[in-house]
Amino acid sequence: MFKLMCVTNRKLCTDNFYDRIEELCRNDVDVILREKDLSEKEYEMMTEKILKVCPDVIAHTYTRAAENLKIKKIHLPLDSMNKDIKKIFNLAGVSVHSAEEAVKAEQMGADYITAGHVFETDCKKGFAPRGTVFLESVVHAVNIPVYGIGGISPDNIGEIKKTGAAGACIMSGFMRCESVDKYLTKLNTIL
């Protein structure tokens, strides 16, 4: 089954951020809280509120905040991943930018990988997208789920699925859509 994940950016959210997270949760979209412009303390305070509307989120980067809040899922940059992470968290995802990095993440105990950026995106303005051939190479390099990330929309999500990826991570689409229900319906008609 092709899975959709939301990587958050509250600054892009056109709705109340907490309401949007609750709507994503209600629709079984995994939520990676990637509010990395916050200090760890600010992140912890925000996440504590989010847990009231969505108790099953994936924390991003801030391991201490996640531990304090008893969150058992974490997503990390590759340079923050190590074998000890799995002693603390039940699920660990890692961001990678090459097949070699994906292999390294898997060897360190990653449960899943996000690989990107696949398509052109405002988040990586000025950086060339890596494309679907790149994503397919990551998928074939590891034995754990790989999720495409970067510039994914209803216009190109079918290309992500064709690579054999386990799913896709979407930021802008989920943060800016009129309604998560309507946006998911649009995505699912393509998938």
Side-chain angles (χ1 to χ4, degrees):
M1 185 173 136
F2 193 79
K3 188 161 187 49
L4 297 173
M5 300 175 99
C6 172
V7 179
T8 68
N9 182 337
R10 72 193 185 290
K11 292 179 179 180
L12 294 178
C13 193
T14 54
D15 197 359
N16 176 287
F17 184 62
Y18 298 97
D19 290 346
R20 179 56 44 103
I21 298 299
E22 184 176 16
E23 190 179 4
L24 287 160
C25 219
R26 196 173 49 246
N27 280 283
D28 294 321
V29 175
D30 285 357
V31 175
I32 300 174
L33 291 175
R34 184 186 176 262
E35 301 300 322
K36 62 185 186 177
D37 64 308
L38 298 175
S39 70
E40 188 153 15
K41 188 65 187 162
E42 292 169 324
Y43 181 88
E44 185 173 341
M45 289 169 31
M46 178 203 69
T47 304
E48 187 172 26
K49 291 178 189 172
I50 285 173
L51 289 171
K52 293 174 183 168
V53 297
C54 185
D56 191 30
V57 298
I58 301 169
H60 191 288
T61 303
Y62 297 118
T63 55
R64 189 173 306 122
E67 281 186 89
N68 290 346
L69 295 170
K70 298 182 180 17
I71 296 172
K72 291 306 212 175
K73 298 177 182 180
I74 192 81
H75 189 91
L76 299 167
L78 180 61
D79 61 359
S80 297
M81 181 62 182
N82 61 65
K83 291 187 184 272
D84 291 336
I85 291 293
K86 291 301 297 234
K87 293 176 185 172
I88 303 164
F89 298 98
N90 297 335
L91 182 79
V94 175
S95 300
V96 302
H97 304 97
S98 70
E100 296 78 19
E101 287 182 359
V103 169
K104 186 175 179 182
E106 183 178 34
Q107 290 169 345
M108 287 190 282
D111 296 297
Y112 73 90
I113 288 166
T114 60
H117 69 287
V118 179
F119 301 113
E120 195 171 302
T121 175
D122 287 343
C123 289
K124 303 285 184 187
K125 240 185 189 16
F127 293 97
R130 291 182 172 87
T132 55
V133 172
F134 149 77
L135 181 59
E136 195 168 354
S137 74
V138 173
V139 168
H140 292 308
V142 295
N143 297 306
I144 56 177
V146 175
Y147 297 86
I149 190 168
I152 299 170
S153 71
D155 296 332
N156 58 29
I157 197 164
E159 293 177 54
I160 298 295
K161 189 172 184 180
K162 287 178 189 172
T163 67
C169 297
I170 299 172
M171 179 187 286
S172 299
F174 280 130
M175 292 289 101
R176 292 182 172 153
C177 65
E178 177 188 330
S179 137
V180 170
D181 289 331
K182 289 179 185 175
Y183 192 69
L184 284 171
T185 299
K186 191 173 185 178
L187 290 168
N188 287 323
T189 58
I190 296 156
L191 297 171

